[in-house]
Structures are given as C-alpha cells and as structure tokens.
Amino acid sequence: MKSKKVISSLLVAAMSASLLAGCGGSGDKPAESKPADNTTADNATDTTPAEPAESKPAETPETTSADENTPVEEQTLKVAAFEGGYGADMWSEVTAAFEASHPGVTVELTIDKKLEDVISPAMKAGDYPDVVHLATGREAALTETLTKEKALLPLTDVLEMTVPGENVKVKDKIVPGFLDTLATNPYGDGVTYYAPMFYSPCGLFYNAGLFKEKGWDVPTTWEEMWALGETAKADGIALFTYPTTGYFDAFTYATLSSAGGSDFFNSCMTYEDGIWESENATKVFELIAKLGTYTEGTTVANANNDNFTKNQQLILDNKAIFCPNGTWLPGEMADAPRADGFEWGFMAIPAVNDGGAGCSFCWFEQMWIPAAAENQDMAKEFVAYMYSDEAAQIFAKSTAIQPITGVSDSLEGDNKMFYSIYDNGATAVMGGFASTAPVEGVNMLDTLCGTVNSIVSGDKTVADWQAAVEEASDKLRAAME
C-alpha cells in the first residue's frame, strides 16, 4: 500500500494506512445524487431563524421501557432528510432502529428530493426540525444561509459523546481528517457545526471494457490524456464529457491541489489576494480550457438538471471516455443501457505537474442541528447514533457509506474499487470555500464552475474567466467572517 496524504481546507491530516477507504475525509456528492449546480447566498432561501429554544425535554406523558420497569419520558424528534441517489428507504429503516433503541422517542421523519421547499416555510414561521440532513453546495443554499446567519448549533460536544449502544466516543469512530476541514468547521475556528455523513471519492469514471477492447492504457498524466484524446478521436470517440458544470467543483478542487499543493489550495479556498492570478491557478484554467476542446459536442446542450443523464450515458455508449462524478454514478445509471462488455472503471484526476500524484476530491454530505431546534439533547443523541455500527450497516445496504473507521472492510465489487482509490496512490482532497457574509451578486462557485459551459462553447476566454474569478474572490475576502 502506498503512502497517502489528505489535504483539507485548514489542515493537512495524516491518514491511517490501515484504512481501505483512504479518504481522510464532500464530496457533494456523496453521496447524494448531484445534478444541481452549486449556488451561494445571493439566491438562497430566506430562513431567518427564530430565537433558539432552550435545550429541554418535551413535556409529554411518560411511558414504560420494555426492558426496564421504569418510566420513560415520551418525546417526538423531528428529522428532515434529503432524498438523494440512495433513496428514502434507508432513512425509514434507520429512524425505526433509533426508536427501538430509545424507548419513548418517536421520530417524525420528513424526506424529500427538494427538502428545502418542504421545510423552509415552516422554518420561517419558527417551526424548525430538530435534525437536518442536507449538504452544502445545493442550488437553494439553505445550509450555507443558516451558516452565514449563525443559526446552527455547535456539535463539538457531540464528538465527545459515546456512540449509543457502543463503548466508543463519536470522534474516535470518524475517519481521521473529516473533522479538520471547512466542510465540517465552516467558520475555521475549530468548532464543528456539520456532522460528516455519506462520503464519496470523486474522480473520472470510464468504461474499463473499452480500454480492454482497444488495448489502451489508462492515462496517468495529462500528456497521456491528450494523446489518448487524439487516438480516440480517430475512432469517433470524444475524450471527455460532464453531467453539469456543478461537477467541476470536485474536479477543480483536485486539480488546484495537484497544481500547487495544500497551502495553495487553502489560499484559494480563503480568497487570498491575487491567488487566482497566480501561475498555479493559470495552469488549472488553461488545463480545463484545453479539456474543453476534447469534450463531446452535445455535452453543453445537455449539461442541465433535466438532461444531465444524457451526458452520463455517453460513456456507457462509448461516445465519450471520461466523465467526472462520485461513487453514486453506477447506482444512478444502474438501469441504463450500455455497450457490450461495459465495465466500470474509476481513476483519480491526473497530476498537473510532472512527478506529482493524481488527486481525488472526497465529497461528503452533512447533518446539522438548527440553533432553534426544540429537542436539542435528543437531536444530539440522534447525530451520535449515525456513527453506530447498526446505523452504518443500514446505510451501507443502500451503498451510502459512513465515514467511520473500518466501514470499508465489508465492501465488495465496484465499491471496493471506488473506496480504495487512495490506497492506490491518489492524494485525497477535502474542503471548500470559506464561509463569508452574503455579498449581493457574488456567487463564487457559479463564477468558477458555471462558466465552464461558456469556455467549452468558446463564448468566453480563459483570461475573462480568470479575471472574473479573481474579482469574485476579492469581494468575498472582504466579507470573510
């Protein structure tokens, strides 16, 4: 097993070489089914919180535990969960298991693919869920909005709790590195507000069967990528496609880290003055622009929330070779037709610099507790339960993998391949842009990633793109909290 390192937004954390799922920490998207482009505060849902409720048990009738002849106070815990690519059944099963292990507790479960639309109206009226599973990076940006409004409950004390039904603390169950990133500590102050949930290595998916058929070698450098692009072009096959520009977050993060290392990546994520005009940033802008010249011709037209699966289908039909995505892709395309001999392949983003290692951004979802939640103590108990072996096994049946130590030992088939990418020498990258106060008209991810369509189509130049990203970075730097 090769040595591997984890790059986080704040710290470089050593990874345990014994972990098969070498991601020391989302991606996402993880992982939820991700076809939505990323958006920040300027178009986020208005969810100004009510005054936080005191953490106290609900005043409800008492019942008796089935195991002990002692009264147990009844209470209702309101849990809201995003229904992503893993489906809804796992949430019903895991909440039922939580109820069984916590007599007197009834979980009122809300699951929806557009969860923000369901819970936001009630939140505006002061009626908050106790626990919310909803990742950052979604179009409505509800999680980001509440973060910027300081409307989330700190979860640092949850990390010190004992996992329900076990004899280990929550922090000791979580894979090292997940708690050292802006994706869990959004204010960069060492305080955890997002509990890391289902994680997914992101990289380039391809048809391994096509490589066997053609006798091609899987490229490990960008020079080899360009050479393959020319070879494939002669066979009428494009080198690249992408579902939507939203998938360029993980791709760009990995490429930035490869180009300049952890310090450079952290500087990009914290809006350092001039960082997007630097030599390393220029390498990344120019690389993506060149990749655009090898992108399948129908990609831009279908790179939207309605037609993104048509772009994903291109690699199943051998019309394009590589597609950036997360480990949820095979499940999302499970029923799609495919070329004879199709076989999933997965690789890291090739190294930008000669002699460097390939990089894979690790995207993961998040769970949080609103500061205005009524049942905060039981909400924390529920979050702690998410890291139990019992919960992890329930989630894993839907291929939703929790970032807990040893969870990958039981994986098989494609998942074993996906989650061993870091064991095969790739550097794991985590984190994202630092939280700022809202800046009207500024959307960093849209400027950085959403512009890719215009670069591929030739409507914008690299120089214009790079200047716009630096301008957005300047405005957000001034709004950092």
Side-chain angles (χ1 to χ4, degrees), residues 244-260:
T244 72
T245 57
Y247 284 75
F248 273 91
D249 55 0
F251 182 96
T252 304
Y253 294 158
T255 309
L256 288 168
S257 296
S258 178

Side-chain angles (χ1 to χ4, degrees), residues 334-407:
D335 298 326
R338 59 204 63 209
D340 292 341
F342 182 89
E343 178 183 335
W344 285 110
F346 183 58
M347 62 177 275
I349 308 299
V352 173
N353 301 315
D354 292 341
C359 288
S360 168
F361 182 77
C362 188
W363 192 90
F364 58 88
E365 301 183 29
Q366 294 115 328
M367 176 173 279
W368 39 272
I369 299 175
E374 181 177 355
N375 299 309
Q376 294 180 4
D377 289 342
M378 189 54 65
K380 291 179 180 180
E381 179 80 359
F382 185 82
V383 173
Y385 177 74
M386 294 298 95
Y387 302 98
S388 67
D389 290 342
E390 182 177 55
Q393 290 167 7
I394 292 172
F395 289 134
K397 290 189 295 184
S398 297
T399 68
I401 308 302
Q402 279 291 72
I404 65 175
T405 56
V407 71

